[in-house]
Amino acid sequence: MRTDAAETSQSMAGTLRSIISVAAVLMAWEIAARLKLTPALFLPAVTTVAATFVDLVSDGSLPLDLAVSLYRAFAGLALASVVGVTLGIAMARSAWLRWLFDPLVALGFPAPKIAFIPIFILWFGIESTSKILLVAFACVFPMVIATYNAAGAVNRTIIWSALSLGSSRHRLILRVILPACYPRIFAALRVAVPVALITTFTCEMVAGGGGMGATLMYSQRFFESPTVFAYIVTMLAVGLLLDKAMLALQAYFPAWRDDGGR
């Protein structure tokens, strides 16, 4: 009980520190804008940005753009997860697949994925397909690497025991290997979520086609600074909320933690 109380107290203290830090930054921002230390074109007041945010939410433009961007990000992430987990386990179980794909993964993982935007636009256009596939391309490599390492680290005795008890190869993967990979898969997924968001927003900024990034760049071209800042703050908030959601999901499924939930 004391441990739980101490953890709760530490969590509340951390939350309070975060609130104070953010409030201090917003206050300094507002004061600087009100004192006109910099032109409003470059730094609109917090209250102005907040009013613009309310207007954008009220007319539905910001929620629509956010929905489009999240759809692209999570569709690409889902595709990367399915392909990455499947390929990672296959590479761990098959020497010839490992021989075939290991050089490709080693080549693609450190590559700057944003540099492929022109190619994906050329091949798949400026609508959602190119952005979804680029997100999948950016996120698949950490999923492959994490799954491959986790599957390769499964205790051989457990695998041999399952096979000796009559487990098929298919059941072995689903009932033994995949559950053993959950912690590292989830860790890679938590890393891939912000990568998916960054890739989506960047691709929209470059290629257009709607979404948060496209509207942000459109507003910047017409010097609509409050709208630009409203969208930037929304992007930051979405990233933070999604990370908190991933932590909550991890707490809900203790088996996904590295310590097994202990």
Side-chain angles (χ1 to χ4, degrees), residues 111-119 134 137-138 195 198-200 202-203 206:
K113 312 306 185 296
I114 303 302
F116 289 85
I117 290 179
I119 297 176
L134 185 62
F137 178 64
V195 172
I198 292 169
T199 305
T200 300
T202 304
C203 194
V206 174

Side-chain angles (χ1 to χ4, degrees), residues 7 179-187 190 246-262:
E7 290 180 354
C181 295
Y182 284 163
R184 294 195 187 183
I185 290 175
F186 185 83
R190 189 182 173 194
M246 294 294 288
L247 289 176
L249 193 62
Q250 186 182 44
Y252 189 76
F253 293 97
W256 292 3
R257 291 168 50 179
D258 288 331
D259 59 1
R262 293 189 295 274

Side-chain angles (χ1 to χ4, degrees), residues 124-188:
F124 306 108
I126 65 171
E127 298 303 325
S128 293
T129 302
S130 61
K131 298 170 178 64
I132 291 172
L133 292 177
L134 185 62
V135 170
F137 178 64
C139 296
V140 71
F141 295 103
M143 300 302 299
V144 171
I145 293 172
T147 306
Y148 168 73
N149 289 332
V154 177
N155 193 313
R156 296 296 176 185
T157 303
I158 298 177
I159 295 177
W160 294 333
S161 298
L163 292 174
S164 67
L165 292 173
S167 179
S168 65
R169 298 285 180 177
H170 180 69
R171 285 181 173 270
L172 176 68
I173 292 174
L174 293 180
R175 299 290 182 86
V176 177
I177 296 177
L178 187 58
C181 295
Y182 284 163
R184 294 195 187 183
I185 290 175
F186 185 83

